Amino acid sequence: MPGRYTPVDRVAVVIPVHNEERLLARALAGVQAAAASLRRLHPETCVSTVVVLDSCTDNSATIAMHAAGQDPGMQVLAVDFRNVGRTRNAGIRHVLAGGRDAAFGHRLWLANTDADSVVPEGWLTGQVAMAAVGADAVLGSVEPDPAGMDPELLRLWRAKHPFIEDHPHIYGANFGIRASAYRLAGGFPGKAVHEDRDLVVRLRRLGCRVKATDSIRVVTSGRTQARAPHGFSGYLMALALEQVAALER
């Protein structure tokens, strides 16, 4: 197995960004708080963040550069893919290019989230703890932000997505993986949607240990204006249409 029962001593957070000026600062603050918490509990662990700006035409670059100017552990990378799978992979390849020794892949943990999401303070410490007892990948849960979201749509979403351990869901906004497992499975594919699901399918086929948990839940945007037609917001829009159809019957 890639790194079973090998603790990690380096953590890298990768955040893809496409025109998220309204939500990005909050997302980065959440990651910085999680990184600070990990450093307090595990001062020997190196923590870094890579913000990958993909084809941004708004103020996202300015926000990211400002945050990086205040955080020496944060880097900003610009790409022009308009493709979240390629963008996530570019950020991880940037991290992997800094490999130092043969054990690097087993001891490096890659934590992934999104620019419209807010991670909890214990997000990284939770993933590191699961890695230490054998996880090659961690699938965290998410919850739509109730602010500005239709309460009935939120209720419907919660009914379909109970907050339980060993849940069946896969979210790029809350996904961690050991670098050796990432390499073994071939990394995120260059897909505009479901890049996270594709990778997890390959991990499981390879016999990697994948842990699904609700213990490090991430809050993500509850918007229904889909950036990707089959992504999370697109799914919420489909639920909303399902709700309307049920009322009309």
Side-chain angles (χ1 to χ4, degrees):
M1 291 301 98
R4 189 147 297 182
Y5 303 109
T6 302
V8 301
D9 58 17
R10 186 177 177 198
V11 175
V13 181
V14 176
I15 311 170
V17 183
H18 175 65
N19 291 346
E20 290 288 1
E21 62 180 6
R22 189 173 67 85
L23 300 173
L24 181 57
R26 187 178 68 163
L28 296 181
V31 168
Q32 288 171 317
S37 178
L38 179 60
R39 291 187 186 107
R40 284 193 301 270
L41 291 173
H42 300 282
E44 74 286 356
T45 302
C46 177
V47 190
S48 62
T49 303
V50 179
V51 182
V52 191
L53 303 167
D54 183 10
S55 310
C56 292
T57 57
D58 65 353
N59 202 39
S60 293
T62 300
I63 295 167
M65 292 301 294
H66 176 75
Q70 299 178 321
D71 183 350
M74 183 178 292
Q75 295 178 287
V76 179
L77 180 67
V79 298
D80 188 18
F81 297 145
R82 294 184 181 273
N83 180 296
V84 69
R86 293 182 66 188
T87 302
R88 288 194 199 279
N89 190 50
I92 291 175
R93 286 173 63 88
H94 181 78
V95 172
L96 296 179
R100 296 165 295 181
D101 53 56
F104 185 77
H106 295 315
R107 304 185 72 89
L108 168 64
W109 189 261
L110 304 165
N112 299 268
T113 189
D114 287 339
D116 65 347
S117 304
V118 180
V119 305
E121 185 175 334
W123 185 59
L124 294 177
T125 56
Q127 292 189 46
V128 165
M130 285 178 265
V133 294
D136 294 312
V138 171
L139 310 180
S141 55
V142 306
E143 180 176 18
D145 188 345
M149 188 177 180
D150 177 71
E152 182 58 25
L153 177 58
L154 181 60
R155 185 202 63 77
L156 180 60
W157 188 91
R158 286 174 171 166
K160 290 177 176 288
H161 301 80
F163 297 128
I164 55 174
E165 289 298 291
D166 301 315
H167 62 79
H169 308 295
I170 301 167
Y171 305 104
N174 195 356
F175 178 67
I177 183 170
R178 197 181 296 271
S180 53
Y182 186 82
R183 285 169 164 156
L184 181 66
F188 283 116
K191 300 174 69 174
V193 293
H194 303 327
E195 77 291 344
D196 42 8
R197 297 185 195 178
D198 187 285
L199 177 54
V200 172
V201 167
R202 282 181 276 127
L203 288 170
R204 285 174 168 154
R205 285 176 180 167
L206 289 165
C208 296
R209 186 175 179 183
V210 179
K211 169 63 177 174
T213 181
D214 182 48
S215 63
I216 49 170
R217 190 186 310 165
V218 165
V219 175
T220 195
S221 171
R223 64 189 173 200
T224 54
Q225 297 79 21
R227 303 293 181 90
H230 302 289
F232 188 78
S233 57
Y235 175 72
L236 288 180
M237 174 57 78
L239 277 184
L241 293 175
E242 178 183 316
Q243 175 188 2
V244 170
L247 291 173
E248 290 178 345
R249 283 198 291 270

